[in-house]
């Protein structure tokens, strides 16, 4: 059985092919087909199990590195180190998995909000019918009299049947629909499956979730007969053109086909189901374009991880070879070599990253109703510098507003709006429409007074239909007895063709209308005519010889928060690009109304002729991409991403899925179609740009804390490792015992957890935040060497103190080794505490104590409360641990007072040098950032994680 018939087939042929009839299926047939084809359910997105979440976490390169180090530590019997490392991995996994689990539960709650019923015609088995379907002559769907057996539900209940076996309309769960079912569609209904229309009355359908078109599309049955072709001639050429030029867009343009995922805007219809479940086009989109490429977070973590992996793989062999060559030591130094490698590793990174991102996601969920389904997506939001949007529903609302009304000369004329309001008012009251038309509502909202106040009396109306493309209201005007006034409103072409105009005037008005539409406005033409009053009904034949009145111009109503949000995005360094399936003039008009001046436009036909590199260059200066298919959207996003930018995409329809996958982070509103909600990384409470701003702020806050942690930890660890390697080669004993290295790392790790709780700073929120391995490497190398110098200076102080003690005979039986270990342990923790305080962004040292600088320091201290207290606790631990009962257990005795005095001098010099280096670094960074913007390279050099787009670039 062919589930999707060719559009050339007649309705009768479709019914026969599906072995159905205009009265629908019997219950027995429906049950048999339900078993054959399955339920009408789009394949579910399975929630990942806990073991699968654990295996997925191992794909994180850094987690894998920590696991390897833990296993190596266990292999060399360093059980304490192995336990700590594996515990940190487990804590990180639990935090990340619990956050994703909460997001999955929120998404499951959203799925329950989807409509689940449809109106279907089912008939009982006719006695002796043997299950035969009524598809013979006279029962076809082409005429109004061809369906005598179908009646309404009035007076019979939802599940009533006639004693003669006639079918009744009833509500059934959507998942029970099968191919061959006949369903009814009305205003506001969701199309529950892919269907072919049998009958329709003024049916228009919103296909924006599938095609991105903001305006409803007319749908009507098409049969291969001369009468049908003549009736729908105005649309046949359009459908044929779309089929030739649009691929899937051409299929969606077929007037007789409606698809799952669309919704009825107006009118009604009866249709036969041709595809359900996984066979629908909506379900086909769920497969997506395959595996998503690595996001900005994945690329950043991978780059930094590989830098650290190279260091860690080189460290143990170097330590072993150096000690064997210079000191004659063998494998007894292996635990020390492993401890050094662990010392280089920021083992708290998974915990810090997960905690910072999970806290940001929790704040968004509590404060703004935003669901972050994939925690790393929060970092990607912070790094995002290009945001792609659709126009409809984001920058504009899904409703039109009247811009102006002009007469035949193009001059403002309120009479035009008044006549349009008369038409809209009486059409609304007399036509018994299932739902008011959006354009009529806009006209009535804009009218200066109610049309009914003019004393007009409505006689009848000829409502809009997609063939005539106009509506007519017949009214009786005061003081004009025996006369009816026809007020006609509709498309420009349809109204002008019915007006009494010569060719020159017709051409002039057509040119005037084209001029208005080029400015991004949509037009309705208004005309009137006087006819003698009569008792018989008016018909479309009366819509001739009209007197032209003027044009009413509409624009899309702007989203109330859009203009302010765009200004905020610009201030935050996020460039907005608009991808729309609408007319380019409409999109540009919305941009101009929102203050986006000089908005360059590129249409889809031009995109097809460009290479990816050319497209990326054009995207740097283009604001609007119009007439885009889903493939165009995805290609544009991918090209900008390949150009070195971190991209976000906000979409809500099936046509947005390819672009959603192509972006670093995909966003959608809560009322998006189900497949988009499942595919997006972030689900917003509503389609509001201010919600995205909140998410960007939370992402930059979390990413800034992670970047601060990495800069401080890696530079401190690198300095310690360099100093330890040098000391290990220079000393006749190990500079620090493995247990002491482990204790030092535990103390530092506990203090570093404060970075996940650091409060946001305004300078971090102003710019996109991205982790970059090369600039991080420059930072940690420079400040790591400075830290190593301080450690080696301490080594000299300790050597001097030990030599003095040895000469005095007070060095101890071990030659001062324990005192050396104790002194270096204390110095390491104190220098790390200084680094935590002085290398935080926004903290400057040196220079005159101006009022602004003093206020800035106070604000920075208040903003970094958790880090300040953690650094103080770390310093106290370094000073008191050798004096505590744990000191002797770890092999660290108390130090003499002169050592502390010498250490204070070293730390003072180190703090001064660190402040000077920090100030010099920030000055160079500021100059590089300004130079980068001046050159237009879009990247502020030097800070390692900040990318600032240049003016005019994404």
């Amino acid at each position: 059985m062919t589930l999707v018939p060719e559009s050339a087939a007649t309705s009768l042929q479709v019914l026969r092919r599906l072995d159905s009839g205009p009265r629908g299926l019997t219950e027995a047939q429906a049950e048999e087909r339900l078993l054959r084809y399955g339920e009408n359910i789009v394949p579910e997105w399975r929630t990942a199990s806990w073991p699968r979440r654990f295996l997925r976490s191992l794909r994180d390169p850094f987690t894998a590195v920590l696991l390897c180090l833990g296993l190596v530590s266990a292999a060399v019997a360093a059980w304490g180190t192995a336990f700590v490392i594996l515990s940190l991995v487990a804590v990180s996994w639990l935090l990340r998995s619990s956050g994703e689990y909460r997001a999955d539960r929120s998404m499951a709650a959203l799925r329950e909000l989807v409509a689940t019923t449809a109106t279907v015609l089912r008939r009982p088995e006719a006695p002796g019918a043997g299950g035969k379907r009524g598809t013979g002559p006279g029962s076809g769907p082409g005429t109004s009299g061809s369906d005598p057996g179908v009646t309404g539900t009035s007076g019979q209940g939802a599940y009533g049947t006639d004693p003669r076996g006639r079918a009744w309309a009833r509500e059934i769960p959507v998942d029970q629909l099968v191919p061959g079912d006949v369903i009814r569609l009305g205003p506001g209904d969701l199309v529950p499956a892919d269907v072919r229309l049998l009958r329709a009355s003024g049916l228009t359908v919103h296909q924006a979730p599938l095609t991105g078109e903001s305006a409803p599309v007319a749908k009507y049955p098409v049969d291969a007969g001369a009468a049908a072709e003549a009736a729908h001639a105005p649309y046949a050429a359009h459908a044929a053109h779309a089929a030739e030029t649009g691929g899937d867009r051409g299929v969606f343009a077929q007037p007789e086909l409606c698809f799952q995922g669309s919704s009825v805007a107006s009118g009604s219809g009866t249709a036969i189901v041709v595809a359900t479940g996984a066979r629908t086009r909506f379900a086909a989109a769920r497969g997506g374009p395959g595996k998503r490429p690595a996001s900005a977070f994945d690329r950043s973590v991978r780059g930094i991880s590989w830098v650290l992996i190279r260091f860690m793989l080189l460290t143990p062999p170097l330590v072993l070879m150096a000690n064997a060559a210079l000191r004659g030591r063998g494998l007894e130094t292996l635990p020390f070599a492993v401890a050094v490698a662990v010392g280089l590793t920021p083992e708290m990174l998974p915990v810090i990253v997960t905690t910072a991102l999970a806290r940001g996601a929790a704040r968004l969920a509590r404060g703004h109703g935003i669901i972050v389904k994939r925690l790393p997506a929060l970092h990607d939001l912070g790094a995002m510098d290009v945001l792609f949007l659709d126009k409809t529903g984001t920058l504009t609302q899904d409703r039109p507003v009247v811009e102006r009304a002009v007469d035949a000369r193009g001059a403002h004329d309120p009479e035009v709006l008044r006549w349009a309001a008369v038409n809209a008012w009486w059409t609304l009251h007399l036509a018994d429409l299932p739902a008011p038309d959006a354009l009529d509502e806009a006209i009535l909202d804009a009218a200066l007074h109610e049309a009914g106040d003019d004393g007009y009396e409505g006689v009848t109306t000829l409502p809009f239909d997609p063939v005539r493309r106009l509506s007519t209201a017949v009214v009786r005007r005061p003081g004009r007895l025996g006369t009816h006034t026809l007020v006609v409103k509709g498309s420009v072409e349809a109204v002008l063709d019915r007006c009494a105009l010569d060719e020159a005037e017709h051409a002039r008005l057509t040119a005037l209308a084209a001029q208005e539409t080029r400015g991004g406005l949509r037009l309705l033409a208004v005309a009137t005519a006087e006819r003698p009053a009569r008792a018989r009904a008016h018909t479309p034949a009366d819509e001739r010889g009209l007197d032209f009145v003027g044009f009413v111009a509409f624009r899309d109503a702007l989203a109330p928060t859009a203009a302010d949000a765009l200004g905020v995005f610009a201030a935050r360094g996020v460039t907005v690009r608009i991808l729309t399936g609408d007319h380019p003039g409409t999109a540009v008009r919305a941009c101009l109304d929102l203050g986006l001046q000089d908005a360059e436009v590129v249409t889809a036909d031009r995109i097809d002729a460009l290479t990816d590199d050319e497209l990326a260059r054009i995207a740097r200066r283009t604001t609007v991409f119009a007439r885009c298919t889903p493939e165009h959207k995805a290609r544009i996003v991918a090209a900008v991403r390949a150009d070195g930018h971190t991209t976000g995409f906000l979409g809500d329809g099936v046509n947005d899925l390819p672009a959603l996958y192509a972006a670093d982070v995909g966003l959608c509103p809560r009322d998006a179609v189900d497949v988009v909600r499942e595919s997006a990384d972030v689900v917003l409470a509503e389609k509001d740009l201010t919600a995205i701003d909140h998410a960007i702020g939370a992402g930059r806050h979390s990413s800034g804390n992670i970047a601060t942690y990495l800069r401080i930890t890696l530079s401190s660890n690198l300095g310690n490792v360099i100093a330890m390697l040098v000391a290990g080669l220079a000393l006749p004993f190990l500079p620090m015992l493995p247990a002491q290295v482990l204790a030092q790392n535990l103390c530092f790790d506990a203090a570093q957890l404060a970075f996940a709780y650091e409060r946001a700073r305004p300078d971090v929120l102003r710019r996109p935040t991205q982790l970059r391995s090369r600039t991080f490497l420059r930072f940690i190398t420079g400040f790591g060497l400075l830290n190593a110098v301080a450690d080696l200076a301490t080594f000299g102080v300790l050597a001097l103190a030990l030599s003095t003690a040895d000469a005095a005979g007070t060095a101890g039986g071990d030659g001062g080794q324990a005192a050396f270990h104790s002194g270096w342990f204390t110095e390491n923790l104190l220098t790390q505490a200084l680094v935590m305080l002085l290398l935080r962004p926004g903290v400057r040292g040196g220079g005159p104590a101006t009022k602004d600088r003093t206020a800035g320091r106070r604000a920075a201290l208040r903003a970094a409360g958790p880090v300040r207290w953690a650094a103080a606790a770390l310093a106290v631990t370094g000073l008191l641990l050798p004096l505590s009962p744990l000191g002797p257990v770890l092999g660290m005795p108390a130090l003499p007072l002169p050592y502390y005095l010498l250490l204070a001098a070293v730390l003072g010099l180190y703090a001064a040098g660190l402040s000077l280096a920090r100030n010099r670094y920030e000055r160079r960074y500021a100059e590089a950032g300004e130079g980068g913007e001046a050159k237009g390279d879009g990247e502020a050099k030097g800070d390692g994680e900040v990318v600032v787009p240049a003016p005019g670039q994404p």
Side-chain angles (χ1 to χ4, degrees):
M1 180 184 296
T2 303
L3 293 183
V4 182
E6 298 84 354
S7 59
T10 66
S11 299
L12 184 60
Q13 289 171 332
V14 173
L15 287 169
R16 286 174 173 166
R17 186 174 297 140
L18 291 170
D19 199 18
S20 182
R23 295 188 299 156
L25 302 173
T26 65
E27 292 293 343
Q29 293 166 350
E31 290 175 5
E32 183 271 330
R33 296 188 186 195
L34 189 62
L35 292 175
R36 189 194 317 173
Y37 298 112
E39 292 184 333
N40 180 33
I41 297 176
V42 178
E44 288 291 339
W45 290 72
R46 297 181 180 178
T47 301
S49 62
W50 287 97
R52 185 172 181 179
R53 295 181 195 274
F54 176 72
L55 294 176
R56 192 165 57 192
S57 70
L58 297 184
R59 292 185 298 183
D60 176 18
F62 207 84
T63 301
V65 170
L66 286 179
L67 279 177
C68 292
L69 283 176
L71 296 176
V72 171
S73 300
V76 299
W79 302 111
T81 302
F83 175 76
V84 170
I85 291 177
L86 295 178
S87 298
L88 292 174
V89 171
V91 169
S92 172
W93 170 72
L94 282 174
L95 288 172
R96 176 176 296 186
S97 298
S98 61
E100 293 179 351
Y101 175 70
R102 286 193 297 269
D104 286 342
R105 284 194 306 174
S106 300
M107 292 303 301
L110 290 180
R111 294 188 199 106
E112 301 299 325
L113 302 178
V114 178
T116 56
T117 63
T119 305
V120 66
L121 301 181
R122 291 278 175 85
R123 57 186 176 87
E125 288 282 358
K132 294 181 181 180
R133 261 65 69 189
T135 57
S139 62
T143 63
S144 60
S146 64
D147 193 16
V150 178
T151 64
T153 59
S154 176
Q156 295 293 328
Y159 293 87
T161 56
D162 187 279
R164 291 171 292 177
R166 293 186 297 181
W168 296 97
R170 51 181 287 192
E171 294 288 323
I172 68 169
V174 166
D175 58 13
Q176 300 299 303
L177 288 177
V178 295
D181 263 330
V182 175
I183 65 171
R184 286 180 174 173
L185 299 173
D189 286 350
L190 295 175
V191 179
D194 289 355
V195 301
R196 161 88 181 232
L197 288 174
L198 302 179
R199 284 172 302 282
S201 175
L203 182 66
T204 60
V205 174
H206 280 297
Q207 295 189 148
L210 301 170
T211 65
E213 296 172 288
S214 59
V217 178
K219 294 290 183 177
Y220 47 85
V222 174
D223 287 326
E229 289 180 0
H232 303 296
Y235 294 91
H238 170 72
H241 173 71
E244 292 174 0
T245 59
D248 269 0
R249 185 181 290 271
V251 174
F252 292 125
Q254 295 298 324
E256 72 278 14
L257 299 179
C258 298
F259 299 91
Q260 186 182 43
S262 57
S263 60
V264 178
S266 63
S268 61
T270 302
I272 183 170
V273 175
V274 296
T276 59
R279 301 171 184 84
T280 63
R281 289 187 173 270
F282 183 87
R286 288 191 80 106
K291 185 179 178 181
R292 293 183 69 167
S295 68
F297 179 82
D298 298 328
R299 297 193 300 271
S300 300
V301 170
R302 187 180 299 118
I304 295 173
S305 297
W306 278 112
V307 170
L308 296 176
I309 288 171
R310 295 186 184 99
F311 275 111
M312 287 184 290
L313 291 178
L314 288 174
T315 299
L318 287 176
V319 173
L320 291 174
M321 289 187 294
N323 277 277
L326 300 178
R327 293 294 178 183
R329 300 168 185 158
L331 291 178
E332 67 270 15
T333 60
L334 181 59
F336 174 72
V338 173
V340 171
V342 172
L344 178 64
T345 307
E347 55 265 35
M348 286 293 288
L349 179 60
V351 177
I352 297 291
V353 168
T354 306
T355 303
L357 296 178
R359 291 187 73 245
R363 286 195 301 269
L364 287 175
R366 289 194 306 267
H368 306 287
I370 298 173
I371 301 173
V372 180
K373 296 172 54 185
R374 183 176 62 87
L375 284 183
L378 200 57
H379 163 271
D380 297 337
L381 278 170
M384 181 177 66
D385 59 345
V386 180
L387 174 61
F388 291 95
L389 304 171
D390 190 6
K391 174 186 69 67
T392 306
T394 305
L395 301 179
T396 62
Q397 303 179 54
D398 291 325
R399 65 179 182 87
V401 293
V402 173
E403 174 69 9
R404 58 177 173 268
V406 297
D407 60 16
R409 300 185 305 276
H412 174 70
D413 187 352
E415 280 295 299
V416 178
L417 183 60
R418 185 178 69 83
W419 281 116
V422 169
N423 176 284
W425 176 266
W426 289 112
T427 298
L428 184 63
H429 283 71
L430 299 178
D432 193 23
L433 297 175
D437 181 77
L439 295 178
D440 286 346
E441 288 187 320
I443 290 172
L444 293 176
D445 287 342
L448 297 178
H449 51 79
E450 291 290 345
D453 292 342
D454 291 337
Y456 294 170
E457 179 184 352
V459 177
T460 187
T461 183
L462 301 175
F464 177 87
D465 70 64
V467 177
R468 290 165 45 245
R469 293 181 292 169
L470 49 81
S471 65
T472 298
V474 182
V475 298
R476 189 177 295 113
R477 300 168 66 183
R480 297 202 177 188
L481 298 178
T483 302
H484 286 169
T485 301
L486 277 65
V487 185
V488 180
K489 167 175 61 67
S491 70
V492 172
E493 180 183 354
V495 172
L496 291 182
D497 287 345
R498 289 167 172 79
C499 288
L501 302 170
D502 56 34
E503 291 186 6
E505 183 67 6
H506 189 289
R508 188 185 68 81
L509 292 175
T510 302
L512 177 61
Q515 180 181 346
E516 293 287 336
T517 57
R518 279 195 295 270
L521 298 176
R522 286 183 286 174
L523 292 186
L524 285 181
V526 182
T528 61
E530 301 290 338
R531 298 286 186 266
R534 68 191 188 199
R536 60 185 177 88
H538 289 271
T539 67
D542 296 317
E543 300 167 336
R544 298 290 177 185
L546 306 177
D547 298 322
F548 181 77
V549 175
F551 297 115
V552 180
F554 300 84
R555 60 172 174 82
D556 291 328
L558 302 179
T561 61
D564 292 338
L566 291 176
V568 172
F569 288 153
R572 289 187 183 274
V574 178
T575 302
V576 172
R577 296 287 181 259
I578 299 170
L579 307 179
T580 180
D582 274 349
H583 188 279
T586 305
V588 170
R589 177 74 193 202
C591 291
L592 294 176
D593 291 340
L594 290 169
L596 293 177
Q597 304 298 326
D598 302 325
E600 292 196 31
V601 184
V602 171
T603 54
D605 53 354
R606 184 180 175 191
I607 295 174
D608 293 331
L610 299 174
T611 65
D612 290 342
D613 291 339
E614 292 171 339
L615 180 58
R617 287 194 294 272
I618 286 181
R620 295 172 189 170
R621 61 177 186 271
T622 302
T623 303
V624 177
F625 295 89
R627 295 297 191 193
C628 290
T629 65
E631 291 73 22
H632 288 133
K633 294 181 180 181
R635 188 178 170 212
I636 294 166
V637 173
V640 173
R641 186 177 179 181
D643 200 31
H645 298 279
T646 303
T647 58
F649 182 85
L650 174 64
D652 59 359
V654 177
N655 62 314
D656 295 324
L657 273 179
L660 206 70
Y661 275 91
D664 287 288
V665 56
L667 306 99
C668 76
R670 186 168 297 189
D671 58 356
V673 296
D674 179 63
V675 62
V676 174
R677 286 203 310 267
E678 299 289 356
S679 304
D681 301 308
V682 178
V683 180
L684 308 175
E686 55 188 7
K687 202 171 183 180
D688 185 358
L689 294 183
T690 57
I692 300 180
D693 178 56
H694 295 314
I696 290 174
R700 293 184 181 180
H701 179 192
S702 300
S703 299
N705 289 349
I706 295 169
T708 301
Y709 161 78
L710 279 173
R711 285 198 308 269
I712 292 174
T713 302
L714 292 178
S715 59
S716 179
N717 287 358
L718 180 62
N720 290 340
V721 167
I722 294 173
M724 202 173 294
L725 290 176
V726 174
L729 296 177
L731 295 173
F733 53 84
L734 292 177
M736 193 176 289
L737 299 178
Q740 296 165 352
V741 175
L742 176 61
Q744 174 185 280
N745 288 341
L746 284 175
C747 292
F748 196 27
D749 290 343
Q752 288 168 335
L753 191 60
F755 287 116
Y757 296 88
E758 187 176 8
R759 299 182 182 93
R761 299 178 308 278
D763 60 310
V764 171
L765 301 180
R766 280 196 298 266
R767 298 173 297 187
T769 307
Q770 186 170 356
L771 312 175
R772 293 188 182 275
S773 58
R774 289 187 179 181
T775 44
F776 261 106
L777 185 60
R778 290 196 295 268
F779 185 98
I780 65 176
T781 301
F783 285 94
L785 290 175
L786 182 61
N787 191 12
V789 170
D791 286 344
L792 293 176
T794 303
F795 165 64
V797 169
L798 286 170
L800 178 62
L802 287 176
S803 63
T804 303
D806 188 54
T810 60
D814 59 358
Q817 293 184 30
F820 186 94
H821 294 158
S822 181
W824 205 350
F825 179 89
T826 298
E827 184 271 344
N828 274 337
L829 292 189
L830 291 177
T831 55
Q832 287 172 342
L834 282 175
V835 167
M836 289 180 64
L837 289 176
L838 297 180
L839 285 190
R840 287 180 294 112
V843 178
R844 293 176 179 267
T850 62
K851 180 178 179 180
D852 291 342
R853 176 167 292 181
T854 301
R857 287 178 181 172
R858 291 175 181 172
L861 288 175
R862 288 194 301 268
V867 173
R868 181 178 55 176
W869 287 110
L874 185 64
V876 171
T877 301
L879 291 170
L880 297 183
L881 187 61
L883 304 176
S884 70
L886 286 178
V889 174
L890 294 173
M892 295 185 297
L895 294 169
L897 181 61
Y899 168 76
Y900 289 106
L901 297 177
L902 293 173
L903 181 60
V906 171
L907 292 177
L909 292 174
Y910 175 61
L914 197 63
S915 297
L916 290 174
R918 169 76 193 191
N919 289 341
R920 180 173 180 271
Y921 172 81
E922 288 187 344
R923 282 195 300 270
R924 290 184 59 188
Y925 161 65
E927 293 171 359
E930 293 172 2
E933 289 191 10
K935 295 176 184 177
D937 61 1
E939 180 177 345
K941 306 288 192 292
D943 199 16
E945 73 283 352
V946 178
V947 180
V948 182
Q953 288 192 1

